[in-house]
Amino acid sequence: MKRIIAIGGGEIRYDETLAIDKEIVLAANKEVPEILFIPTASGEPQGYVESIQKLYGQKLGCKVKTLYLLNNQTSSDEAREMILNTDIIYVGGGNTKRMLQVWKQYSVDKSLKEAYEKGVVLSGLSAGSICWFESGQSDSNTYEQGVKSPYIRLKALGLIPGLHCPHYNEDNRLEEFDKMVQESSEVGIAIENNCAIDFKSDEFRIIKSDKSSKAYRIYKVEDNLIHDELTNINEYKSIDRLFNIN
């Protein structure tokens, strides 16, 4: 069974996504699942690694490993072995553009696609949500330039169709993402903080750690932009409901 749980955002260290994280662990269907944390996008800071260890290890009972790719710490073969021999993969937030570039150097993009076909549960937040879609709205230029910069569109792994926006309720993302969808022919999938979409083979549902959080399907009908709220879809529905706009 193929499974991706894409989280819009939230502070791991404050347990803001705890209800979603519990569902990620349950998805592995194992008593003590192994989870592989990939913190490439954030630069692999030890504090982030410790937060994941505390949440998924101490609180949720997983065996936690971390895949370090920066500074030539791991070979492509070692990365592939780790990715294919785990139950869950969790990709952290940060600079999506940099992350995807590093992944390509180590063939991590190909290994993740293999893991998906194998049935490894894929998950992540922010950059770790964008990466699973065909493309996404990214603030990578802000990371790289050190000042607030325009959002850019990045091509990602393409395991899920559509153009994705995490953190839809932050800053001016809503206006900028709507503009991005308006200029494209793709369906936009926007997820607010503390909300996730659980893609299970050809079905999906919404998971929330905050009842007020929302997700949307956004698309064009002629020149009009339509926002379909997906908030209360707690039972699995056909994925056609997301991407078929006819």
Side-chain angles (χ1 to χ4, degrees), residues 74-81 105-108 111:
T74 310
S75 70
S76 298
D77 288 342
E78 289 169 336
R80 181 176 181 273
E81 184 176 350
Q105 292 172 16
Y106 289 88
S107 298
V108 165
S111 298

Side-chain angles (χ1 to χ4, degrees), residues 160-194:
I160 306 169
L163 173 63
H164 174 49
C165 174
H167 307 296
Y168 190 57
N169 54 325
E170 281 189 11
D171 301 324
N172 62 333
R173 279 187 181 266
L174 188 156
E175 294 83 0
E176 292 299 317
F177 185 65
D178 285 4
K179 204 180 299 180
M180 202 173 280
V181 174
Q182 186 79 49
E183 293 170 354
S184 78
S185 57
E186 291 180 283
V187 173
I189 302 296
I191 310 176
E192 295 182 351
N193 292 346
N194 308 323

Side-chain angles (χ1 to χ4, degrees), residues 17-48:
T17 60
L18 182 58
I20 300 168
D21 299 310
K22 287 179 178 178
E23 292 293 331
I24 291 171
V25 174
L26 287 173
N29 198 28
K30 291 207 175 169
E31 189 172 341
V32 183
E34 293 190 8
I35 183 167
L36 179 64
F37 178 45
I38 307 181
T40 318
S42 60
E44 303 175 352
Q46 191 57 34
Y48 201 176

Side-chain angles (χ1 to χ4, degrees), residues 78-94:
E78 289 169 336
R80 181 176 181 273
E81 184 176 350
M82 291 179 73
I83 288 168
L84 294 180
N85 291 283
T86 190
D87 302 307
I88 303 166
I89 288 168
Y90 187 103
V91 178

Side-chain angles (χ1 to χ4, degrees), residues 7-238:
I7 311 168
E11 286 288 346
I12 288 281
R13 56 185 169 169
Y14 301 134
D15 290 344
E16 288 184 358
T17 60
L18 182 58
I20 300 168
D21 299 310
K22 287 179 178 178
E23 292 293 331
I24 291 171
V25 174
L26 287 173
N29 198 28
K30 291 207 175 169
E31 189 172 341
V32 183
E34 293 190 8
I35 183 167
L36 179 64
F37 178 45
I38 307 181
T40 318
S42 60
E44 303 175 352
Q46 191 57 34
Y48 201 176
V49 174
E50 290 171 357
S51 292
I52 291 292
Q53 177 64 57
K54 181 179 178 183
L55 173 60
Y56 278 94
Q58 297 173 24
K59 291 189 178 179
L60 299 179
C62 295
K63 182 179 179 181
V64 183
K65 293 183 179 180
T66 302
L67 175 57
Y68 294 101
L69 295 172
L70 305 179
N71 301 319
N72 298 314
Q73 296 178 68
T74 310
S75 70
S76 298
D77 288 342
E78 289 169 336
R80 181 176 181 273
E81 184 176 350
M82 291 179 73
I83 288 168
L84 294 180
N85 291 283
T86 190
D87 302 307
I88 303 166
I89 288 168
Y90 187 103
V91 178
N95 185 337
T96 312
K97 181 180 175 183
R98 179 193 188 201
M99 176 186 75
L100 292 172
Q101 289 170 342
V102 172
W103 282 4
K104 188 164 287 191
Q105 292 172 16
Y106 289 88
S107 298
V108 165
D109 51 346
K110 294 177 181 177
S111 298
L112 288 170
K113 291 176 181 179
E114 280 189 73
Y116 178 63
E117 295 295 333
K118 185 182 177 184
V120 175
V121 177
L122 306 182
S123 63
L125 176 151
S126 190
S129 179
I130 292 172
C131 63
W132 312 122
F133 286 79
E134 188 67 37
S135 57
Q137 182 203 57
S138 170
D139 58 356
S140 289
N141 282 353
T142 295
Y143 277 97
E144 294 177 355
Q145 297 173 20
V147 294
K148 187 67 177 175
S149 303
Y151 293 106
I152 59 173
R153 173 181 177 145
L154 289 177
K155 183 174 175 57
L157 300 187
L159 299 179
I160 306 169
L163 173 63
H164 174 49
C165 174
H167 307 296
Y168 190 57
N169 54 325
E170 281 189 11
D171 301 324
N172 62 333
R173 279 187 181 266
L174 188 156
E175 294 83 0
E176 292 299 317
F177 185 65
D178 285 4
K179 204 180 299 180
M180 202 173 280
V181 174
Q182 186 79 49
E183 293 170 354
S184 78
S185 57
E186 291 180 283
V187 173
I189 302 296
I191 310 176
E192 295 182 351
N193 292 346
N194 308 323
C195 184
I197 301 182
D198 175 10
F199 296 92
K200 183 180 178 183
S201 295
D202 58 355
E203 298 180 312
F204 80 99
R205 65 171 176 150
I206 304 299
I207 309 172
K208 295 186 288 182
S209 54
D210 183 328
K211 291 181 180 179
S212 64
S213 296
K214 300 174 182 178
Y216 297 89
R217 175 179 78 150
I218 306 167
Y219 59 97
K220 283 192 302 184
V221 174
E222 296 179 349
D223 291 329
N224 299 314
L225 209 57
I226 308 299
H227 294 72
D228 288 342
E229 188 177 319
L230 307 171
T231 306
N232 297 314
I233 301 176
N234 303 315
E235 302 294 327
Y236 285 105
K237 304 290 184 183
S238 170

